[in-house]
Amino acid sequence: MSNNMSDGFLDGIHRKINRKKQQRAMLNTLGTLVVTVIITFQVSNIIHHSKLVELANRIEQNSESFHAYDALFEISDDKAADYLIDEMEIYDLLQIAEEDIQNTDLLKTIIREG
Amino acid sequence: MMDDNELISKFQTGDEDAFNVLVRRHEDWVRGFVRSSIGNREDADDTAQNIFVRIYFGLAKFRFEAEFKTWVYRIIINQINNFYRKQKLLSIFRGELTDNLHSVEPGENDGRKSELMRWVAKLPRGQRNVMILRSFQDMSFKQVAATLSISENSAKVSFHKAKNNLKRMINVK
C-alpha cells in the first residue's frame, strides 16, 4: 500500500519533470528561432547597406567622370569625340555628324562655284 | 548501500535510476516537513513533488560544497515560500483572507499545531523560515543558520521577533 503510494508520488514527479523538459525544449526552440530571425534581419540590413554604399560610390564615380569633361579648359578633338560618344544620345550624334557633312558639302560647292 | 553523494555522482553521469533511489530515500521526511508547514495534504504533496522536480534539475549543478540534506532544506523553504506567495496572490484576486490556507483534514494534524501554523504563515518570510526550521524541524540555531545562509545571531534575532509577533497576533485575536 505504502509502496503503491510512493510509486504514485514518484510517477507524479516524473510526469512533472517530463512536462518541464518539454517546456524547456519549446523555449529553446523559440529562442533559437528569435535569434535566427534577428540575425537574418541584421545580415539583410548589412547587405542592403553595402549595396547602397556601392550604388552611391558608382553614382559618385559617374558624376566625377562627367565633371572631368566639364573641367577641361580646352578639349581636343579626341576628347570631344569621347565626350560625345559617352554622354550624348546616338541620334544627336548622328544629327551633328550629318550637319557637318552638309556644311562641308556646302563649303565645297561655294569654293567650286567661286 | 550507496550514500547520497555517490547516488548524485551516478545521476550526474546519466544514471536516472539514482534519482529514483534518492526520492525513495528522502520522500518521507520531505513530505512530512511540507505537510507540517502546509496543512492541506493535496497542496503539500504537490509542493513536495515540485521540490523533487527542483532537485532533479538542480542536481546537475550540485557541487558537493554543502550537505545534500542542507541543500534540500533550502529548496523546501523556497518552495514553501512560493506556495505562500501564490496563496496570498490568489486570496488578493479572490478578495478573501487566506484562512483556508491551512484547512487541515480532520484527524490529520494536531489541532494546536495547525492553529500555530495558521499564524506562522502570516509572519514575514525571514521570520517564518526560521520559525519553521526551529520549531517544526527541531533544528539548532547553527543548523538553521547554515540552511538559510544567514548568521547564527540573525537566526536567533529572527526567531525572537517571530515569537513576539506570534504572541501579539494571538493576543489581538
Side-chain angles (χ1 to χ4, degrees):
Chain A
M1 169 90 178
S2 170
N3 207 23
N4 281 345
M5 271 176 67
S6 178
D7 283 348
F9 184 74
L10 192 62
D11 288 345
I13 292 170
H14 282 290
R15 263 197 305 276
K16 285 187 176 188
I17 287 170
N18 288 335
R19 205 181 313 146
K20 197 142 194 171
K21 277 182 180 172
Q22 282 172 354
Q23 282 173 353
R24 284 184 175 194
M26 221 155 68
L27 276 176
N28 279 343
T29 311
L30 202 72
T32 312
L33 201 74
V34 168
V35 169
T36 311
V37 167
I38 290 170
I39 290 173
T40 310
F41 184 72
Q42 292 291 344
V43 167
S44 72
N45 261 357
I46 291 167
I47 291 170
H48 184 66
H49 180 73
S50 61
K51 273 187 179 169
L52 278 179
V53 169
E54 201 182 316
L55 188 67
N57 283 341
R58 209 178 298 160
I59 290 168
E60 210 175 321
Q61 276 170 10
N62 284 345
S63 64
E64 270 174 14
S65 63
F66 178 76
H67 291 303
Y69 286 116
D70 287 348
L72 291 172
F73 186 69
E74 277 182 281
I75 302 174
S76 66
D77 289 345
D78 288 344
K79 291 262 182 198
D82 282 346
Y83 171 78
L84 291 173
I85 290 163
D86 284 351
E87 301 297 331
M88 292 186 80
E89 294 287 333
I90 188 69
Y91 298 109
D92 295 335
L93 194 65
L94 287 174
Q95 199 178 352
I96 288 170
E98 200 179 340
E99 277 175 12
D100 276 353
I101 291 165
Q102 279 172 1
N103 287 344
T104 314
D105 286 347
L106 184 66
L107 199 65
K108 279 180 184 170
T109 311
I110 291 166
I111 292 166
R112 209 184 304 132
E113 289 178 359
Chain B
M1 196 172 88
M2 273 190 270
D3 67 16
D4 288 347
N5 285 351
E6 283 172 319
L7 284 170
I8 294 166
S9 297
K10 276 190 87 177
F11 177 76
Q12 286 176 337
T13 54
D15 185 351
E16 294 260 329
D17 282 339
F19 173 73
N20 293 345
V21 178
L22 275 173
V23 173
R24 288 191 196 286
R25 186 176 290 173
H26 294 281
E27 171 188 348
D28 286 343
W29 75 265
V30 171
R31 287 170 94 174
F33 183 178
V34 178
R35 275 184 198 168
S36 71
S37 309
I38 300 168
N40 184 299
R41 196 188 190 122
E42 211 175 294
D43 287 339
D45 278 356
D46 188 52
T47 305
Q49 284 183 335
N50 290 342
I51 287 163
F52 282 107
V53 172
R54 276 289 186 91
I55 290 171
Y56 179 91
F57 287 105
L59 274 181
K61 293 175 204 156
F62 189 74
R63 294 279 168 263
F64 306 97
E65 284 157 5
E67 223 179 286
F68 176 67
K69 211 168 172 179
T70 309
W71 181 67
V72 173
Y73 266 122
R74 279 184 208 147
I75 295 175
I76 295 171
I77 289 289
N78 283 336
Q79 284 297 315
I80 290 173
N81 284 327
N82 283 348
F83 173 79
Y84 286 140
R85 204 177 302 131
K86 274 183 201 164
Q87 290 296 318
K88 208 171 179 179
L89 277 174
L90 279 176
S91 73
I92 290 167
F93 280 120
R94 289 175 188 155
E96 61 194 30
L97 290 171
T98 53
D99 281 348
N100 60 346
L101 194 64
H102 298 292
S103 52
V104 182
E105 289 158 26
E108 186 187 354
N109 238 333
D110 174 34
R112 279 180 66 191
K113 197 177 176 185
S114 67
E115 177 73 13
L116 184 61
M117 268 318 297
R118 195 195 301 262
W119 296 111
V120 170
K122 290 177 181 173
L123 287 171
R125 199 179 62 187
Q127 292 173 25
R128 185 173 62 222
N129 293 344
V130 173
M131 183 55 86
I132 287 172
L133 292 175
R134 175 81 180 143
S135 298
F136 298 108
Q137 291 299 305
D138 292 325
M139 279 189 180
S140 66
F141 280 117
K142 200 174 175 180
Q143 286 173 308
V144 172
T147 304
L148 298 176
S149 302
I150 57 175
S151 70
E152 211 175 314
N153 281 337
S154 297
K156 284 176 186 170
V157 170
S158 292
F159 184 71
H160 181 72
K161 282 183 182 171
K163 267 203 308 189
N164 284 344
N165 280 336
L166 284 174
K167 273 183 203 165
R168 206 173 39 242
M169 282 180 201
I170 291 164
N171 285 338
V172 167
K173 183 200 166 199

